[in-house]
Amino acid sequence: MAAMAQAKRTTIGGGLGLPGEPGRLRLTRGVLTIAGERIEAVLEVPADTEMPAVDYGGEGSAILPGFVDTHLHLPQW
């Protein structure tokens, strides 16, 4: 049997929007790792730790993992 091809991994770093208390969004620094078409890991990065090397994003970027409608209209912004 042929070996399965390894899924391409992509890392995105920046500010993560994660679930907080019920009905609340918690903002923290972190890295999102994607393998193929699936989110593989969502990791928080403490403020006193250097952000790891990422493929996209970095300090000042926002990451909202999940099924999120990312378009905004001017009044929403």
Side-chain angles (χ1 to χ4, degrees), residues 69-77:
D69 181 358
T70 59
H71 85 280
L72 293 173
H73 296 268
L74 188 57
Q76 294 172 303
W77 185 254

Side-chain angles (χ1 to χ4, degrees), residues 25 30 32 34 36-37 40 42 54 67:
L25 178 69
L32 176 73
I34 301 168
E37 297 177 359
E40 181 177 65
V42 178
V54 296
F67 298 106

Side-chain angles (χ1 to χ4, degrees), residues 8-66:
K8 179 184 178 225
R9 281 198 170 68
T10 303
T11 56
I12 304 170
L16 291 171
L18 299 175
E21 295 178 23
R24 298 283 184 168
L25 178 69
R26 182 171 59 93
L27 300 175
T28 187
R29 293 173 71 230
V31 175
L32 176 73
T33 302
I34 301 168
E37 297 177 359
R38 293 182 177 237
I39 295 174
E40 181 177 65
V42 178
L43 305 170
E44 292 185 50
V45 176
D48 61 350
T49 304
E50 186 176 335
M51 182 71 75
V54 296
D55 297 310
Y56 299 100
E59 298 292 346
S61 298
I63 305 167
L64 299 171

